[in-house]
Amino acid sequence: MVPTGRQHQEAYQFRLILAATYPFFLAAAALNRFRPSRETARPGLLPARRSVFGEARAMAVQAIPFAFMG
């Protein structure tokens, strides 16, 4: 299926907003690393963590769709 002009434009806008907001989410993810964790440690298992960059991208991808609602 070939994307229509509107779908292409929305994908472009999503990538543009992602690029513009990523530094803010990166700063938030970095600051979260310095806060004490609320997770309870499981005995014998290391906590599964993403990289700071992966967490920033996940936060951005989760928050940005709200800009397209309405």
Side-chain angles (χ1 to χ4, degrees):
M1 184 163 119
V2 178
T4 64
R6 181 182 168 123
Q7 289 174 335
H8 180 69
Q9 183 180 6
E10 287 180 358
Y12 176 74
Q13 288 174 351
F14 180 83
R15 288 191 305 268
L16 185 63
I17 293 171
L18 179 65
T21 59
Y22 183 77
F24 298 106
F25 288 110
L26 183 60
L31 289 174
N32 279 338
R33 288 293 171 111
F34 292 110
R35 292 181 29 211
S37 177
R38 293 182 184 170
E39 297 175 3
T40 58
R42 294 175 284 172
L45 296 175
L46 294 175
R49 278 184 121 170
R50 293 184 185 140
S51 69
V52 175
F53 300 105
E55 284 195 27
R57 179 168 169 76
M59 288 169 30
V61 168
Q62 184 177 15
I64 289 174
F66 291 107
F68 292 93
M69 290 182 174

